[in-house]
Amino acid sequence: MAVLFKQKDPVYIVGLDLSKGSSGVVIIDATTQKPLESLSVSSNKVGIAAALDIASKIDKVLDRYRPYIKTCVVEDYVVSLGNATITLISVSTMVRAMLHRTGLCYITITPPNLKQFVLGKGVGKKEKILLECYKLWGLSFNTNDGA
């Protein structure tokens, strides 16, 4: 179902850094390019129960901003995470299914491309990304998942 926006309606972009532990969520006003909210979502459950719990919590956050979300940018996962890969893929699958079910389009971005966008080069530590997010957009985070 297409949503028609009036010119005065806000347009939001969502950034998601999905993790088996704590997933970062940021809501950005596309017009001002300023963050509206940044938070971490986690679960004390394990396995698929944790994946469902995290997806549900993210869905509740996004509910506050619908129907003005234009797109979601989901950081893709790295497949060389060992045993953590299965849970991370479960979390990512549940969140992507929720986005699809609720009609939100999303794109994925690889970690090197995300670093290229923020740092100007495809490599860098999370601490540097956090610093650049603060310098560029005034964003500060309680954990490194927000970046």
Side-chain angles (χ1 to χ4, degrees), residues 89-143:
I89 290 172
S90 296
V91 169
S92 182
T93 300
M94 293 300 148
V95 170
R96 291 173 197 213
M98 175 272 299
L99 294 173
H100 177 75
R101 177 182 51 79
T102 59
L104 293 173
C105 65
Y106 69 89
I107 58 172
T108 58
I109 185 168
T110 64
N113 285 342
L114 181 60
K115 291 174 183 177
Q116 176 70 36
F117 176 74
V118 176
L119 302 176
K121 58 184 178 178
V123 295
K125 296 191 178 285
K126 275 219 171 183
E127 293 76 16
K128 180 69 173 162
I129 295 171
L130 291 169
L131 178 62
E132 289 303 311
C133 284
Y134 180 75
K135 287 163 61 176
L136 292 169
W137 301 293
L139 282 171
S140 61
F141 305 94
N142 293 329
T143 70

